[in-house]
Every structure is written in C-alpha cells, then in structure tokens.
C-alpha cells in the first residue's frame, strides 16, 4: 500500500467501508475477496451504483468469459468472472470446437503449484464446493 501511495494511487485500509467515502468513489470495482464477502459487497456496490466485477465463486452476477462475449453482460451491474481455470480453458475449447468438426467434448485439467497459497486456495475451493452444493 505504501508503494501505491508513493505512486499517487489512492489507497485505504478500511476494506469495503472505504467506498462510502466520497473521495474513494470509482466506477468499477474488482472484488477479489471471497464468495461469502461478495454476497454482502454486491448489495453495497449496487446501492452505490458501481459496476462490480466479481472475481469470487459467489455466482451472484451474470457469468462472463470476456473472450467469448462481453457485450451481453455489460448491461448488468454485477459480472461474475467464473474461475481462472474457466477463463483460461473455455476460449481454447471454443476455438477447438470451431476448428474440429464433430467435436462434442473437451476435458480440462488444471494444476496449482503447492506454495503458501495452498491455504487460500483451499478456502476458495471450499467456498466453490459449498456454493455448488446449494444448487
């Protein structure tokens, strides 16, 4: 945060509450917190008239893979970016489907490095599984 502030970028350590301060207002918010937090955040962003790009697995917003079409989701104020694996593999699957006649199925395998991010990823996947079980 210090480095960003030195570059002249407005920063805050107030989390979601920072958006209630007029000087912190913006037009677009990328919410990369968690699915549980985005449920609350989505209501706040909507009340403030902000476009929310949901980077969590909350499944609240309109699902979007920009490489496949962004126009139809831009009329929504909450856009769900699905998963990073989906963002990477779906456009490739689309190209393959166009290039290979009769292609009906594509299998995708994603791996993640076992790094200190493992705990964070475990929390994210737990959130995804919980969300999917509710459907």
């Amino acid at each position: 945060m210090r480095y960003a502030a030195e570059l002249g970028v407005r920063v805050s350590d107030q989390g979601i509450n920072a958006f209630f301060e007029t000087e912190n207002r913006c037009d677009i918010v990328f919410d990369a917190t968690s699915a549980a937090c985005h449920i609350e955040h989505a209501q706040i962003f909507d009340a403030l008239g902000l476009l929310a790009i949901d980077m969590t697995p909350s499944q609240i917003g309109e699902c979007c893979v920009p490489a496949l079409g962004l126009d139809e989701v831009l009329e929504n104020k909450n856009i769900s970016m699905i998963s990073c694996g989906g963002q990477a593999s779906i456009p490739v699957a689309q190209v393959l489907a166009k290039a290979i006649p009769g292609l009906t199925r594509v299998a995708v395998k994603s791996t993640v490095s076992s790094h200190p991010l493992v705990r964070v990823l475990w929390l994210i996947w737990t959130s995804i599984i919980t969300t999917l079980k509710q459907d």
Side-chain angles (χ1 to χ4, degrees):
M1 287 177 55
R2 183 177 331 163
Y3 180 69
E6 289 171 1
L7 293 174
V9 176
R10 183 177 298 281
V11 297
S12 173
D13 63 356
Q14 300 302 306
I16 191 72
N17 294 323
F19 292 98
F20 292 109
E21 299 171 18
T22 306
E23 64 271 8
N24 290 331
R25 292 288 169 85
C26 56
D27 298 318
I28 301 173
V29 175
F30 288 84
D31 189 352
T33 53
S34 70
C37 289
H38 187 70
I39 292 168
E40 175 188 344
H41 295 173
Q43 296 172 5
I44 293 169
F45 297 146
D46 186 51
L48 294 172
L50 305 175
L51 170 60
I53 308 295
D54 180 10
M55 307 297 282
T56 79
S58 72
Q59 296 183 342
I60 293 175
E62 184 70 25
C63 288
C64 176
V65 179
L68 299 184
L70 188 58
D71 295 338
E72 61 272 9
V73 298
L74 286 179
E75 62 195 42
N76 297 286
K77 295 299 277 181
N78 194 320
I79 299 172
S80 176
M81 297 305 291
I82 62 173
S83 70
C84 53
Q87 292 294 340
S89 61
I90 292 170
V92 174
Q94 181 193 35
V95 170
L96 291 173
K98 288 180 179 179
I100 304 171
L103 180 69
T104 59
R105 185 174 178 196
V106 175
V108 176
K109 179 183 177 193
S110 298
T111 59
V112 176
S113 171
S114 59
H115 189 267
L117 293 176
V118 170
R119 172 77 176 139
V120 172
L121 293 173
W122 180 84
L123 291 170
I124 292 170
W125 280 111
T126 301
S127 178
I128 291 171
I129 291 167
T130 303
T131 301
L132 292 174
K133 284 182 178 178
Q134 292 173 359
D135 289 344

